[in-house]
Structures are given as C-alpha cells and as structure tokens.
Amino acid sequence: MIKAEGYHVPVLLRESVGGLDIKPDGVYVDVTFGGGGHSREILSRLGAKGRLFSFDQDEDAEQNIVNDERFTFVRSNFRYLKNWMRYYGIGEIDGLLADLGVSSHHFDDETRGFSFRFDAPLDMRMNKRAGMTAADVLNNDSEEQLSDIFYIYGELKNARRIAAAIIQARTARHIETTNDLMEATEKCFQREREKKETAKLFQALRIEVNHEMDALKEMLNGARDLIRTGGRLSVITYHSLEDRLVKNMMKAGNVEGKVVQDFFGRIESPFRQIGGKVIVPSEEEQQSNPRSRSAKLRIAERVRKEER
C-alpha cells in the first residue's frame, strides 16, 4: 500500500487552505486529492457539520482515502465537478481548492512514464483505465499535430524540428518508452538546456494525453457556478498555461479573459482577488520540496452571484 506521507508533499499547504477562510459548517471541495495533504488540513478546520468532497481520477490515490464521515471521495476527473455535486445534492459550495499539475508520486513512479529519469513505457495517463497513452500520440499523430502539441503545451520554439525527428524515428520502429523518445529527440536540444527542454516536451505530452487544459476550463467554469457569495477559490498552478486560465477566471469571471465593464469602467467580475498578487513558496519550502519552485497560488472571493 502506498502511504500518504510518501505519496506527495503538499505545496503551499498553510497558504492555500488558509486562503479558503474555512467556515466550520461549510461545504468544500478539493479537486486534486492525491496524497490527501490538503484534504486532511481542510478537515482539521471543519466542525462536525462540515463536508469535504475530494476528487481524483487516479486509482493510486484511493490508498490515501480519509476515514471520516464528513469526507466523500469522488473517483473522477475534476472536469465533471458540477455533475458530481448535482449527484450528491449540493447546489452551492463554500470553497474549492486545486493543486494543479503532477504529484511527486507520479514523477517518482518508475512505471508511469511521467519522468525522463526512468526508462518506462510512455503511458502518462492520470486515469490508467481509459484514453490514449503518450506512446499512442507519438506513433499516430501527424507531424503537424505533434508540432502544435509541443509548441502550444510545451512552449518549445523548435517544436517543428522535434516533431520531424519523432516522425523520422518512428519509421524505423515504434516509440514505446521514455528512452525511445529521448533517443529520437536528443539532437534537438542544446546540451546546456537539454534537461529543461526535455521537461517541457514531457509536460506537453502529459497535457495532451490527459486533456488538461480542457478539463481545467470545465472545472473553473463549474467552480464559478457553484461557489456561493463569500466563498473562496484557491488554486496552485505550475506553468503559464494553467496560470493564465486561473488568472482570467479570477479577473474577468471567464477562462477567456473577456472583460465586461460597467458604466464607470469598472470590471464586472464575480470574483475579487485576495492579496492583489500571486503567492509563491518560501525559500525554505522551495529547498525542502523542489516541486514547489514553480508554484503560484491565486486566491479569490466570490463577491456576487449571477442569476442562472
């Protein structure tokens, strides 16, 4: 059994949970359960009548389920947030927390293909029960499709060259493992930037395999519709693509960032950002937990509820 304490070290734990301004009898959602660190902290601040719903689509996370009558584990992608809340009869929530990206457990699991530190099958699925693997994408997508994935999700300037190298390599044999991918693309990266660029390549594939951007958009829209007036949205991001969507939602009330202004030129957003700027981990946390180094926390309060 995978122990919670070895599964994942929660990032910005005190700041992200504190940002929810938890009411003891409130209803809260942790859409990225993982090792359960954030969920346990939320539960520690809830009273007897409080409720917490925690989402995770990875079966490994079930090993960390909390034995607490106030807690409900939802084995599902968080994009279905609204559907599941409707299923449980929840019309409004007092707060939602999301720690986006990949857990340390996934990076450390030698069998999942999330990290180029190990030679492993190129899977990268958060949900091992369904969907295409990273190997499927690499061996079946066109050169143009691969180039778009690497450029948009990895922000790699030489995306076309990388895609061409993969197409050439797969004509000889299928790309099935992380080492296969590294060998196919090794000439595409300058030695001094090889690790950083390879990490971006793996990030791009992971985002594509798990449809992360679409899922995040749906989850944020669901959070906007569910969080009651005075409730909080607390989100930790790890790269600019995620952060842009979260920033747009908190600033404009939509993931596209379309700003609506009133007669006086004031932005009409259902949210008010707390603190005025992003929160980053302390130097101490960054040293003890390397995953936290790229983390940004944004917190917003729901200030008005539209009629729907």
Side-chain angles (χ1 to χ4, degrees):
M1 179 180 290
I2 301 165
K3 298 297 183 182
E5 59 268 23
Y7 186 101
H8 174 68
V9 179
V11 172
L12 289 162
L13 177 63
R14 177 178 57 83
E15 296 88 346
S16 60
V17 177
L20 291 175
D21 191 26
I22 290 176
K23 300 175 177 63
D25 60 349
V27 178
Y28 293 88
V29 179
D30 175 0
V31 293
T32 49
F33 178 69
H38 290 104
S39 285
R40 286 182 173 82
E41 183 63 24
I42 292 170
L43 285 168
S44 75
R45 304 185 186 201
L46 287 176
K49 295 183 179 180
R51 296 187 71 184
L52 172 64
F53 295 86
S54 293
F55 284 67
D56 207 299
Q57 62 183 322
D58 190 342
E59 61 183 346
D60 288 354
E62 293 186 45
Q63 306 294 331
N64 307 317
I65 288 178
V66 181
N67 183 19
D68 191 310
E69 62 182 10
R70 302 167 299 171
F71 175 81
T72 301
F73 181 79
V74 184
R75 185 177 175 179
S76 175
N77 191 310
F78 61 42
R79 71 190 307 165
Y80 304 117
L81 169 67
K82 284 187 69 175
N83 292 355
W84 281 104
M85 290 300 96
R86 188 180 302 116
Y87 174 81
Y88 284 108
I90 304 297
E92 289 186 319
I93 62 176
D94 293 283
L96 180 145
L97 185 146
D99 180 7
L100 304 175
V102 183
S103 73
S104 49
H105 162 71
H106 290 121
F107 280 129
D108 293 339
D109 188 337
E110 299 182 18
T111 68
R112 304 286 290 272
F114 285 100
S115 173
F116 53 85
R117 289 181 294 145
F118 316 109
D119 185 24
L122 279 164
D123 193 316
M124 294 195 189
R125 292 173 299 170
M126 298 291 189
N127 180 356
K128 294 183 287 185
R129 299 167 297 163
M132 293 194 304
T133 66
D136 292 331
V137 172
L138 289 168
N139 290 297
N140 295 303
D141 279 19
S142 68
E143 184 173 336
E144 182 179 3
Q145 288 172 319
L146 290 174
S147 178
D148 286 346
I149 291 168
F150 303 148
Y151 184 76
I152 296 170
Y153 295 149
E155 300 179 296
L156 288 161
K157 294 180 180 179
N158 61 339
R160 289 183 179 178
R161 184 183 176 193
I162 297 169
I166 289 169
I167 296 296
Q168 183 178 4
R170 80 187 194 192
T171 58
R173 61 185 176 91
H174 272 201
I175 298 172
E176 299 291 349
T177 69
T178 54
N179 275 4
D180 290 344
L181 178 57
M182 297 280 284
E183 290 174 8
T185 59
E186 63 181 348
K187 295 181 180 179
C188 299
F189 305 122
Q190 296 179 1
R191 186 164 298 278
E192 63 271 17
R193 294 181 57 82
E194 185 176 7
K195 285 187 177 180
K196 187 173 183 179
E197 299 292 282
T198 303
K200 289 183 176 181
L201 173 61
F202 274 63
Q203 170 187 293
L205 275 172
R206 189 200 77 229
I207 291 173
E208 172 67 15
V209 166
N210 295 288
H211 307 289
E212 290 181 27
M213 293 300 101
D214 289 337
L216 178 55
K217 290 175 184 178
E218 290 183 41
M219 185 275 286
L220 289 172
N221 286 332
R224 176 197 59 205
D225 296 345
L226 285 165
I227 296 174
R228 70 175 82 247
T229 301
R232 295 285 185 90
L233 176 62
S234 180
V235 185
I236 303 168
T237 64
Y238 294 87
H239 57 76
S240 60
L241 300 175
E242 294 172 338
D243 191 56
R244 189 177 303 123
L245 295 178
V246 174
K247 182 179 179 181
N248 285 346
M249 176 58 71
M250 292 184 175
K251 180 179 179 180
N254 58 75
V255 294
E256 296 82 13
K258 296 178 181 177
V259 173
V260 177
Q261 297 180 323
D262 64 14
F263 178 79
F264 300 100
R266 294 173 299 197
I267 296 176
E268 291 188 331
S269 173
F271 290 105
R272 174 178 65 88
Q273 295 189 67
I274 303 296
K277 61 180 181 179
V278 297
I279 299 169
V280 298
S282 65
E283 287 292 334
E284 182 181 359
E285 180 173 2
Q286 291 184 47
Q287 290 297 319
S288 62
N289 185 6
R291 179 177 178 266
S292 72
R293 291 172 187 168
S294 59
K296 293 181 178 179
L297 170 64
R298 294 184 185 272
I299 303 167
E301 180 180 5
R302 189 66 191 264
V303 293
R304 63 182 179 85
K305 193 86 172 177
E306 300 96 335
E307 293 295 328
R308 292 187 181 276

